[in-house]
Amino acid sequence: MQHINLPTDFDHVVLNVNRVSRVVKGGRRFRNRAVVVIGNRKGRVGVGVAKGADRTIAIQKAVNVAQRNLIQAVIEEPTTIPHEVLSKVGGAKILLKPANDGTGIIAGDTVQRILDLAGYHNIYSKSLGRTNKINVAYAVMEALKQLQPKDKWHINLIKETQQAVQS
């Protein structure tokens, strides 16, 4: 098996490997498509999709794509998200809700693996649309991008400006 080049603090999980084909004049040409998620369990997470002639080549290419698409997720204490968020990519809709300490990750397989590698321990999730693994993975990433820390919330900014005006 081929060695995967990752920084030492990152882990990777292969979500899916499918054999895909294209039709040419002489018949079908087969390749493998891999969906991989990488993360350091401290807020950095990325998803990559790539194709290759062999499974290991497809996985390595997907890891490289995931490294280029890393995002920094917002993690609040006790290792949950700061607010509820809904995201839609293609036909997949994902709802993420904060949970109390000790709840765990209540989610489907794909969502659970991504949230685990991002570093979340307590979160509720509901898949409302289609269950295509690639679109679900991208929808979770979109949801994580939409998260805002509590100090950036609009309500907090209004309170801060009112306090500044009063003083």
Side-chain angles (χ1 to χ4, degrees):
M1 182 165 222
Q2 189 176 359
H3 177 68
I4 295 178
N5 299 322
L6 272 176
T8 55
D9 59 339
F10 278 83
D11 294 326
H12 78 283
V13 174
V14 178
L15 295 178
N16 192 14
V17 178
N18 277 346
R19 194 171 92 159
V20 295
S21 66
R22 69 178 171 177
V23 179
V24 294
K25 187 176 179 182
R28 292 190 183 110
R29 305 276 179 184
F30 294 103
R31 297 198 308 170
N32 291 286
R33 181 186 64 206
V35 184
V36 175
V37 60
I38 64 170
N40 66 354
R41 292 181 166 79
K42 297 175 187 167
R44 303 270 297 159
V45 66
V47 171
V49 179
K51 294 177 189 171
D54 187 22
R55 288 173 67 98
T56 56
I57 293 171
I59 291 169
Q60 177 61 46
K61 286 170 127 180
V63 166
N64 292 339
V65 171
Q67 282 180 321
R68 290 194 300 268
N69 295 325
L70 283 173
I71 65 165
Q72 179 64 46
V74 177
I75 299 178
E76 295 282 331
E77 289 302 322
T79 59
T80 188
I81 57 176
H83 57 85
E84 188 175 310
V85 64
L86 178 68
S87 175
K88 181 179 185 296
V89 172
K93 286 184 194 172
I94 297 294
L95 174 67
L96 300 178
K97 295 174 83 172
N100 292 330
D101 198 17
T103 303
I105 300 174
I106 311 297
D109 187 43
T110 302
V111 179
Q112 187 172 17
R113 290 178 179 188
I114 294 171
L115 294 175
D116 178 48
L117 285 177
Y120 295 105
H121 298 294
N122 304 298
I123 196 166
Y124 293 113
S125 168
K126 179 69 179 165
S127 180
L128 301 168
R130 303 291 177 191
T131 57
N132 178 315
K133 288 188 180 193
I134 296 173
N135 286 345
V136 167
Y138 284 143
V140 172
M141 295 300 287
E142 269 309 307
L144 294 178
K145 285 180 193 175
Q146 291 176 17
L147 292 174
Q148 295 292 324
K150 286 185 180 179
D151 58 346
K152 300 270 178 151
W153 288 1
H154 183 67
I155 296 168
N156 288 344
L157 292 175
I158 291 173
K159 288 179 182 176
E160 288 174 8
T161 54
Q162 288 174 348
Q163 290 174 354
V165 169
Q166 290 174 356
S167 57

